[in-house]
Amino acid sequence: MSVPILDTGIKLVKNVGSFGFGAGSLNDLPGYVNSRRTRAVEARGEGKVVYIIDEFFADRPEIIARLGAQTSDRIEFVATREEPKTEAIDQRVADMIAAGFSKPAALVGLGGGITLDTTKAVANLLTNGGVAEQYQGWDLVKRPGVHKIGVPTISGTGAEATRTCVMTNTRIGLKLGMNSDHTVFDHLILDPELTATVPRNQYFYTGMDAYIHCVESTGGSYRNAVGDAYSRETINLCRQVFLADDMMSPESRTRLMVASYLGGCAIATSYVGVVHPFSAGLSVVLGLHHCVANCIVLRAMREFYPAACDEFLAMAERQRVTIPNGVCKGLSDTQFRALYDATVIHEKPLTNALGSNYRAILAYDKVESLFRKM
Ligand SMILES: [Fe+2]
């Protein structure tokens, strides 16, 4: 795969407003939230806060107690069995408004990529009105969202740093985010202690999302020196984590949290490549989660990313993690057609990776044979 490199520069990039970082920094959350609460009380006489939390923490009262929620606040949990769907986001917003939380002082999202993306989408909808699918695309969100604070509890997706929140729109069979400056978090708490209890496989798959973003971005043609620098350091940190004896030691968890954040900054300034479009196909058609789908795809992508594919397999072996196999076995022609459609629609990343004639390279038979390898 060889595409001419174009120095795109960067027109404008919005970063996260502020962040705190370090083991135990969750303890700083109540103070930060209360400053927003006070500001809202002064402005309009009330300062209620909504906490949107990964359901995994429903059984972790010791974490919930540290959030400093008040009795007038709302705590809701997010199911993570399925990735966010536009209808589910719309329902959540409707429920929140019906419960009297149409103008919260802040939203706090605590969890993985699904929870963080849900928080971002809800924040935009509360101030912009309408339904989620109206804003799927580039720069369609008109007004700043509710002030939002992200607390990631797993590292890799970069959802804490990006200007998008990915949702599946089942009506049109497409996975697409609200790409907007208004989607960027106002504040983050990056506390590596929170990732200590993540199951090992999930920790690996999710961490590899950061690695894959940056392999794709440095393998593409639309480049700039800032994106390249973020990507190089993300890959470097991922190597330190996944080629170490224990990817989940406190040092490794700290490094991976930084890699996830920098990887998010990398994709905010550049594009992904061939892996993410195929992975989106697996998510839309077969319902596979984003991060495990990426791993399944990368293993089948040696012809496009030979060095990264080998390194990734070495990392999986070192950490004794297995990647699911045979996920496209026995699929019908209709399903392969749906996989093809949901893949080749991702014009920007595929052009970044393969050039403007990517549809000739990824002809139907080629795409089907790649899916069959997965
Ligand atoms: Fe990703």
Side-chain angles (χ1 to χ4, degrees):
M1 190 168 70
S2 134
V3 282
I5 292 175
L6 305 167
D7 186 349
T8 59
I10 297 174
K11 253 205 191 98
L12 188 151
V13 64
K14 182 157 185 294
N15 289 126
V16 166
S18 56
F19 61 85
F21 172 76
S25 57
L26 181 64
N27 295 339
D28 300 329
L29 179 69
Y32 184 87
V33 168
N34 285 337
S35 71
R36 299 305 309 182
R37 207 189 282 283
T38 308
R39 204 182 280 208
V41 170
E42 283 166 8
R44 50 174 197 271
E46 65 165 35
K48 296 187 284 192
V49 173
V50 179
Y51 295 82
I52 299 177
I53 301 175
D54 191 316
E55 63 181 352
F56 177 78
F57 292 94
D59 301 329
R60 301 279 307 278
E62 72 284 8
I63 297 289
I64 305 293
R66 288 170 64 194
L67 306 180
Q70 300 185 355
T71 46
S72 55
D73 293 339
R74 178 176 171 91
I75 293 184
E76 42 183 80
F77 292 98
V78 177
T80 54
R81 203 160 32 87
E82 287 188 339
E83 295 193 322
K85 291 202 168 67
T86 47
E87 309 89 65
I89 298 284
D90 293 336
Q91 188 59 53
R92 184 177 293 278
V93 171
D95 291 347
M96 217 177 271
I97 293 171
F101 288 84
S102 59
K103 286 183 184 161
L107 294 182
V108 177
L110 180 132
I114 291 173
T115 306
L116 297 181
D117 279 2
T118 299
T119 306
K120 293 166 158 188
V122 168
N124 283 341
L125 284 170
L126 283 174
T127 55
N128 285 272
V131 291
E133 74 168 29
Q134 277 173 254
Y135 304 103
Q136 283 184 296
W138 271 262
D139 301 309
L140 300 172
V141 181
K142 297 289 172 242
R143 278 187 276 267
V146 172
H147 189 92
K148 55 193 173 300
I149 303 154
V151 189
T153 59
I154 186 167
S155 302
T157 67
E160 64 277 26
T162 60
R163 70 193 296 276
T164 193
C165 49
V166 184
M167 295 163 292
T168 301
N169 185 330
T170 37
R171 195 180 61 79
I172 54 172
L174 193 62
K175 205 178 146 179
L176 194 61
M178 295 179 182
N179 281 274
S180 163
D181 286 345
H182 300 314
T183 306
V184 179
F185 274 110
D186 297 289
H187 185 71
L188 296 177
I189 301 268
L190 301 173
D191 182 348
E193 280 182 359
L194 291 170
T195 66
T197 50
V198 177
R200 282 186 72 82
N201 276 10
Q202 209 186 333
Y203 179 93
F204 180 87
Y205 302 148
T206 308
M208 289 314 298
D209 197 17
Y211 176 84
I212 292 170
H213 286 149
C214 295
V215 162
E216 288 180 281
S217 133
T218 51
S221 59
Y222 300 144
R223 302 271 286 281
N224 65 76
V226 177
D228 282 359
Y230 281 133
S231 291
R232 276 195 304 269
E233 186 53 19
T234 302
I235 291 174
N236 183 21
L237 287 163
C238 288
R239 286 181 178 142
Q240 291 176 35
V241 171
F242 294 110
L243 295 172
D245 288 340
D246 181 8
M247 64 179 179
M248 293 191 71
S249 68
E251 298 74 26
S252 289
R253 284 189 286 99
T254 300
R255 287 190 180 116
L256 194 58
M257 192 158 260
V258 178
S260 178
Y261 177 75
L262 294 182
C265 294
I267 42 168
T269 55
S270 60
Y271 294 99
V272 289
V274 191
V275 178
H276 272 70
F278 277 79
S279 169
L282 291 179
S283 293
V284 170
V285 179
L286 303 179
L288 286 167
H289 271 218
H290 177 64
C291 300
V292 69
N294 283 341
C295 291
I296 292 167
V297 173
L298 180 56
R299 189 185 44 202
M301 289 280 164
R302 177 170 275 111
E303 70 178 277
F304 298 108
Y305 301 105
C309 183
D310 289 345
E311 185 168 60
F312 153 75
L313 291 174
M315 288 169 169
E317 200 184 315
R318 180 149 192 112
Q319 302 304 329
R320 295 176 301 282
V321 168
T322 50
I323 314 297
N325 209 352
V327 295
C328 292
K329 223 171 161 181
L331 295 186
S332 67
D333 288 348
T334 318
Q335 282 171 306
F336 277 115
R337 172 56 65 179
L339 283 168
Y340 169 80
D341 289 341
T343 301
V344 298
I345 195 158
H346 295 274
E347 206 173 299
K348 278 183 189 170
L350 292 171
T351 305
N352 180 41
L354 304 172
S356 53
N357 69 335
Y358 76 84
R359 279 179 187 266
I361 299 168
L362 295 178
Y364 183 84
D365 289 351
K366 175 71 185 172
V367 172
E368 184 183 319
S369 77
L370 284 165
F371 276 118
R372 284 191 188 278
K373 277 207 233 172
M374 299 177 194

